[in-house]
Amino acid sequence: MNNIFVYCEVEEGIVSEVSLELLTKGRSLASQLACQLEAVLIGSGLKGVEKQILPFGVDVLHIADDARLEPYTTLPHAAILNKLFAEEKPQIALMGATPIGRDLGPRVSSALHSGLTADCTSLEIGDHEDKKAGMVYKDLLYQIRPAFGGNIIATIINPDCRPQMATVREGVMKKEKINDSYPGTVKNLEVSKYVSDLDFAVQIIERHTEKKKINIKGASIVVSGGYGVGSKENFKLLYDLAAVLGAEVGASRAAVDAGYAEHDRQIGQTGITVRPKLYIACGISGQVQHRAGMEESAQIISINSDPEAPINSIADYVITGDIAEIIPKMIKYYKLNTK
Amino acid sequence: MKGLKIIVLAKQVPDTRNVGKDAMKADGTVNRAALPAIFNPEDLNALELALRVKDTVPGSVITILTMGPGRAAEIIREGLYRGADSGVLLTDRAFAGSDTLATSYALAQAIKEMGHFDLIVAGRQAIDGDTAQVGPQVAEKLNLPQVTYVEEVLKVEKAAITVRRRLDNGVETVKSPMPMLLTVNSSAPDCRSRNVKMLMKYKHARTITEKQEATEDYTHLYDNRPFLYIREMTVADIKADAEQLGLTGSPTKVKKIDNVVLQAKDAKKLNTADEGINDLMKELIESHVIG
Ligand SMILES: Cc1cc2nc3c(=O)[nH]c(=O)nc-3n(C[C@H](O)[C@H](O)[C@H](O)COP(=O)(O)OP(=O)(O)OC[C@H]3O[C@@H](n4cnc5c(N)ncnc54)[C@H](O)[C@@H]3O)c2cc1C
Ligand SMILES: Cc1cc2nc3c(=O)[nH]c(=O)nc-3n(C[C@H](O)[C@H](O)[C@H](O)COP(=O)(O)OP(=O)(O)OC[C@H]3O[C@@H](n4cnc5c(N)ncnc54)[C@H](O)[C@@H]3O)c2cc1C
């Protein structure tokens, strides 16, 4: 009772990255609060999938396995969580800030009348004193998130209603297994007790998914271009630099909108979050929405013709000038020094 | 087919995009007063999607519902200029401090008062609160099916709608019974611009409060043109449980707000000169950052 629950996303037997990251965070919060970590897995053909989940320190895994539960639709997944949470009374419930989590989370929080904080970038445990009511709340979840277009950071709490619910984007939390033979138990839910036929009112008629070919998240060096690159042709310079450095190419939204780069390469609040060893920002001004996706990079080089570009304030190296002149020189001197 | 009754949920928001130099104060924090109040961008996509349904199912009627302060009537007028048929402004001090749950409760109660509807269309996300929670929560409160991230309506049948939704890694075609709620993504078509005829027609559309405060007197117009009334609703009109409204009805509380302040690091400064770039590449190779 009053444990921490993580809703795990699964597709074709593979548990999503963000869910494993949340299990890692959930594990450390559970240890801090001296409670258990539980996970919920809803889908189809889930035999053996527990092996991907329990090693993250999961004490209890609830599984709802039924052909009608995958691919995801809102109502049946919400019905299962509503009833399970009513029975188990978690103190904290976490899910990914993904298309699924952000569709499901609000629905469940509304049904349970429990608050939900979207898109958290950090979760911590802390106390809260309500001076007016003369109350002190112990061990609340501090849900820390950007709002107002990324221009402010708010700490949100949920003093009275349970569970305290939060969504977190992929790549924000670290992923770390505890032990491959962590002794968690599996509970299989009797699906028909949780969903009714009415929950299947919305039908998926066709689905077309593309496997992501571009692996920017995994890259240790990212060469990223903005509107200042000027054209799709000039972006070739970035690919050349990336090729010699073994890097991936990223882009700002302005560059994507202008057609210089594919949407899959967009870095930032509405794109991918990266934290490579080295981030080379070429012709990127560094608006908050862009910084949200890259500011945790270990080192940042900014190449910009404007010495006052906002990105320069978070850069470790600022190169002032035209990318068309600077990038070829970087390639040249990289090659000279590695011979 | 009979025309549909469509409700579009729209929010007036400060324009948080492209917060430029003048919108930042000297200490690096946001100067909210410098941000204009606009029609939430994805709510314009929502309006366009509703207008397209109206184009394919003649006789459909679109009502814009917005909750906010008195001046939010501006976005209702904006919607009327672009082809909506009427608007409702839900406004009351009791709504102040609402989180998404209290917001969706108030909106759902208002919708119950607005009579029969077939379709509710919301934006995916507002650019100030940035949560994308209000749409699904309104659907839950009204016990309706929801489809999120919609970019196109493919087919409207009697009591059913088929739409295409955009996901991170692809697209999905989904069919739902009506009445239902959908939220619209920015990848959907942009909203058509104002229509000059509609602009003339609705220029003087006002809420009751605006009429009372107006300096010019258009009273004579309203007697013959009932469409110029923008309906105003308060707590008293929506049969709401006061416990579920505003700050009291909000499970989430903002404990603290920090403005994002840019702190300058001690960066190494270079220019296009060869020597500096050569040294930089050497340094990065030696420290094993590259190579
Ligand atoms: C809700 C919301 C979400 C958003 N999400 C994202 C997101 O996920 N990712 C994102 O990136 N943006 C996002 N944005 C957009 C963001 O606000 C900025 O508009 C965008 O990041 C600007 O891109 P940019 O830096 O490439 O372009 P600009 O701001 O136009 O900057 C171009 C830069 O290039 C420099 N330059 C020009 N010519 C040269 C040259 N020849 N050599 C060197 N430098 C040159 C200029 O000095 C300037 O600094 C979002 C906005 C909103 C409202
Ligand atoms: C810094 C800060 C952080 C916040 N964080 C949270 C949080 O984590 N959780 C939480 O529950 N609340 C939070 N809130 C409160 C939240 O911003 C408000 O409840 C707001 O009224 C609705 O949320 P939103 O702006 O995120 O809208 P969204 O949920 O993003 O809006 C989605 C769609 O719902 C419709 N809609 C939304 N509001 C209205 C309206 N007033 N009238 C008509 N249609 C509307 C529109 O179609 C809109 O496109 C926060 C507020 C602030 C200032």
Side-chain angles (χ1 to χ4, degrees):
Chain A
M1 282 296 187
N2 304 140
N3 289 328
I4 296 179
F5 275 63
V6 173
Y7 168 84
C8 293
E9 289 178 30
V10 61
E11 195 165 310
E12 289 170 7
I14 309 289
V15 178
S16 74
E17 282 292 298
V18 67
S19 304
L20 302 178
E21 291 162 9
L22 285 175
L23 289 174
T24 308
K25 186 69 196 180
R27 179 66 260 165
S28 82
L29 293 174
S31 303
Q32 199 179 343
L33 293 168
C35 68
Q36 294 202 314
L37 173 64
E38 307 197 21
V40 188
L41 187 65
I42 304 176
S44 165
L46 300 177
K47 234 197 182 93
V49 178
E50 71 277 1
K51 289 197 208 83
Q52 295 170 48
I53 292 178
L54 297 179
F56 286 84
V58 174
D59 300 299
V60 182
L61 169 62
H62 304 265
I63 295 186
D65 191 341
D66 185 304
R68 297 172 300 171
L69 295 174
E70 201 180 319
Y72 168 89
T73 51
T74 315
L75 298 178
H77 282 237
I80 292 170
L81 288 191
N82 290 345
K83 184 163 152 63
L84 186 66
F85 287 175
E87 291 163 355
E88 301 287 335
K89 306 201 171 5
Q91 56 171 308
I92 292 172
L94 307 177
M95 41 186 98
T98 58
I100 290 178
R102 298 188 81 176
D103 180 85
L104 178 63
R107 186 98 195 177
V108 172
S109 88
S110 174
L112 301 177
H113 192 78
S114 84
L116 170 62
T117 305
D119 243 344
C120 296
T121 49
S122 170
L123 297 170
E124 291 163 19
I125 303 295
D127 299 339
H128 174 66
E129 186 182 355
D130 184 342
K131 292 213 177 79
K132 250 201 275 162
M135 295 267 287
V136 176
Y137 297 86
K138 288 261 167 235
D139 291 338
L140 291 182
L141 184 66
Y142 287 3
Q143 303 155 67
I144 299 159
R145 65 172 299 240
F148 222 70
N151 295 294
I152 62 173
I153 304 286
T155 302
I156 311 270
I157 50 169
N158 203 325
D160 299 306
C161 303
R162 294 292 175 271
Q164 306 166 77
M165 293 179 64
T167 65
V168 179
R169 260 185 303 155
E170 182 175 329
V172 172
M173 304 283 173
K174 275 197 307 249
K175 177 180 103 177
E176 209 165 16
K177 274 191 196 175
I178 297 284
N179 166 354
D180 273 324
S181 50
Y182 189 88
T185 52
V186 173
K187 287 189 183 167
N188 288 296
L189 302 178
E190 203 178 313
V191 174
S192 62
K193 287 205 171 130
Y194 288 79
V195 296
S196 80
D197 287 345
L198 285 177
D199 291 326
F200 297 95
V202 176
Q203 292 164 270
I204 297 176
I205 292 176
E206 202 187 318
R207 224 161 162 264
H208 180 76
T209 56
E210 305 120 18
K211 285 270 172 293
K212 281 196 191 143
K213 288 159 292 212
I214 304 169
N215 182 21
I216 302 179
K217 282 184 74 68
S220 64
I221 304 173
V222 176
V223 178
S224 195
Y227 191 68
V229 173
S231 68
K232 199 167 175 171
E233 291 66 50
N234 285 355
F235 240 78
K236 222 192 133 278
L237 283 172
L238 275 64
Y239 285 98
D240 293 345
L241 179 61
V244 298
L245 298 180
E248 265 293 354
V249 173
S252 74
R253 174 147 135 192
V256 171
D257 287 349
Y260 303 167
E262 303 102 296
H263 184 261
D264 288 359
R265 298 194 184 273
Q266 183 174 317
I267 289 170
Q269 187 185 326
T270 43
I272 312 164
T273 303
V274 296
R275 45 164 74 119
K277 278 199 304 192
L278 179 63
Y279 190 89
I280 307 178
C282 311
I284 295 178
S285 61
Q287 301 302 321
V288 274
Q289 293 90 352
H290 186 78
R291 290 202 309 270
M294 48 66 71
E295 62 197 346
E296 286 190 35
S297 305
Q299 302 221 45
I300 297 168
I301 299 178
S302 163
I303 308 174
N304 200 303
S305 48
D306 174 7
E308 302 289 314
I311 187 117
N312 292 356
S313 65
I314 58 165
D316 301 275
Y317 301 91
V318 171
I319 312 180
T320 302
D322 187 345
I323 56 154
E325 195 178 339
I326 292 165
I327 294 183
K329 289 188 183 176
M330 291 174 80
I331 296 173
K332 173 176 159 196
Y333 289 110
Y334 174 80
K335 287 186 175 160
L336 278 174
N337 287 303
T338 44
K339 273 228 186 88
Chain B
M1 206 169 107
K2 236 178 66 200
L4 302 180
K5 292 253 185 306
I6 307 172
I7 297 173
V8 172
L9 298 180
K11 184 181 184 189
Q12 192 182 42
V13 295
D15 192 352
T16 58
R17 298 168 304 174
N18 305 313
V19 173
K21 285 199 173 89
D22 52 328
M24 300 298 271
K25 295 189 216 153
D27 61 357
T29 62
V30 189
N31 177 12
R32 292 185 198 212
L35 302 175
I38 58 165
F39 204 119
N40 181 49
E42 282 178 324
D43 300 352
L44 280 174
N45 297 111
L47 175 59
E48 176 60 27
L49 189 128
L51 288 166
R52 289 182 180 208
V53 172
K54 184 176 159 181
D55 292 342
T56 50
V57 189
S60 296
V61 174
I62 300 174
T63 305
I64 294 183
L65 170 60
T66 186
M67 176 175 119
R71 74 164 180 175
E74 289 163 8
I75 67 166
I76 293 181
R77 276 187 290 276
E78 187 61 50
L80 293 170
Y81 301 157
R82 294 175 192 241
D85 299 279
S86 67
V88 175
L89 171 69
L90 181 60
T91 185
D92 201 304
R93 275 173 190 225
F95 300 135
S98 294
D99 73 354
T100 61
L101 217 53
T103 301
S104 48
Y105 173 72
L107 290 171
Q109 290 302 111
I111 290 168
K112 286 182 192 164
E113 285 304 308
M114 288 164 63
H116 168 81
F117 64 87
D118 302 287
L119 188 61
I120 301 175
V121 189
R124 180 189 58 103
Q125 180 162 335
I127 60 169
D128 53 346
D130 273 343
T131 68
Q133 290 174 187
V134 170
Q137 290 178 338
V138 169
E140 196 282 332
K141 299 259 177 275
L142 296 169
N143 200 16
L144 300 174
Q146 73 191 43
V147 178
T148 47
Y149 317 109
V150 173
E151 57 182 17
E152 193 180 347
V153 171
L154 301 174
K155 194 159 149 200
V156 183
E157 295 159 276
K158 194 170 175 290
I161 186 164
T162 305
V163 299
R164 188 179 64 236
R165 58 197 300 255
R166 160 101 8 215
L167 304 177
D168 271 358
N169 60 344
V171 290
E172 223 173 59
T173 303
V174 176
K175 182 174 177 180
S176 167
M178 286 195 285
M180 61 88 64
L181 179 145
L182 44 87
T183 76
V184 182
N185 225 24
S186 58
S187 59
D190 289 338
C191 193
R192 60 196 68 178
S193 37
R194 295 173 173 187
N195 174 311
V196 180
K197 265 202 237 143
M198 295 300 158
L199 183 64
M200 296 314 290
K201 178 171 173 188
Y202 288 112
K203 200 163 60 177
H204 296 298
R206 294 289 181 272
T207 62
I208 180 99
T209 310
E210 285 177 320
K211 250 182 77 195
Q212 285 158 357
E213 289 167 356
T215 45
E216 290 165 279
D217 187 11
Y218 291 104
T219 324
H220 58 285
L221 280 181
Y222 293 84
D223 296 337
N224 315 325
R225 302 183 195 172
F227 57 81
L228 289 180
Y229 279 105
I230 295 176
R231 183 170 174 194
E232 201 171 283
M233 282 189 181
T234 64
V235 166
D237 300 307
I238 62 167
K239 301 196 183 79
D241 166 9
E243 286 292 295
Q244 296 201 47
L245 294 176
L247 216 48
T248 325
S250 297
T252 62
K253 316 277 178 213
V254 177
K255 181 174 169 63
K256 190 166 79 120
I257 291 207
D258 298 308
N259 288 290
V260 175
V261 181
L262 291 184
Q263 277 159 343
K265 274 200 217 173
D266 266 340
K268 281 201 185 161
K269 297 211 164 55
L270 290 71
N271 53 31
T272 51
D274 285 58
E275 200 188 339
I277 295 175
N278 187 20
D279 289 346
L280 169 65
M281 297 321 272
K282 261 196 217 155
E283 190 178 318
L284 292 174
I285 293 163
E286 278 160 15
S287 59
H288 300 288
V289 174
I290 57 176

